[in-house]
Amino acid sequence: MSSLVKFVQDEFVTRNEFPEFGAGDTITVYYEIKEGSKTRTQFFRGVVLQRKGSGTSETFTIRKMSGTIGVERIFPINLPALQKIEVNKKGKVRRARIYYFRGLTGKKARIKEVRK
């Protein structure tokens, strides 16, 4: 049964092509918002906490600080409203899921940047 589901996902779900990114990277996600009959593009810039799942059901979580409040957002990789993803900084972290980042503030909340 699971192979049938995988086959249908591979055949009929369109995959978006985005640059490679992972936990610790700072990215900007541009996505489309529909308000009534109008559409507009909004962006969300933050640090990737995790990538979860595989294939068409893959998601990623981004965290940003809005003033003193942390805001997290989960995006599916194949969301049709996603227009583009820009990788602003490549971060150097030792884990695939950096949940500990939620509890850090100030200078401790910095992530070292990987130079190319």
Side-chain angles (χ1 to χ4, degrees):
M1 186 66 188
S2 64
S3 62
L4 182 64
V5 172
K6 188 175 183 328
F7 172 76
V8 170
Q9 285 179 343
D10 291 342
E11 291 296 318
F12 299 108
V13 177
T14 59
R15 293 209 32 117
N16 296 333
E17 292 299 321
F18 295 121
E20 283 296 316
F21 63 92
D25 295 350
T26 302
I27 66 172
T28 306
V29 178
Y30 294 88
Y31 57 99
E32 201 172 79
I33 293 180
K34 291 186 173 78
E35 295 170 334
S37 60
K38 297 182 197 172
T39 60
R40 65 185 174 88
T41 301
Q42 186 168 322
F43 68 90
F44 193 91
R45 175 180 285 135
V47 177
V48 178
L49 292 186
Q50 68 172 346
R51 284 184 76 156
K52 194 174 198 174
S54 63
T56 57
S57 63
E58 186 176 359
T59 62
F60 59 97
T61 305
I62 303 180
R63 178 180 177 86
K64 75 171 184 177
M65 293 302 289
S66 180
T68 57
I69 297 170
V71 179
E72 289 185 14
R73 179 113 196 236
I74 300 170
F75 290 99
I77 275 283
N78 283 324
L79 186 69
L82 283 185
Q83 292 178 336
K84 67 177 178 174
I85 297 176
E86 290 178 352
V87 180
N88 303 105
K89 289 185 204 171
K90 293 292 260 179
K92 181 177 183 277
V93 293
R94 295 182 176 196
R95 299 176 180 274
R97 302 196 172 155
I98 54 174
Y99 298 131
Y100 66 88
F101 194 67
R102 294 172 176 155
L104 302 180
T105 57
K107 286 188 176 181
K108 291 180 182 177
R110 289 194 201 153
I111 294 177
K112 276 196 171 179
E113 186 175 352
V114 176
R115 295 287 180 186
K116 293 172 186 157

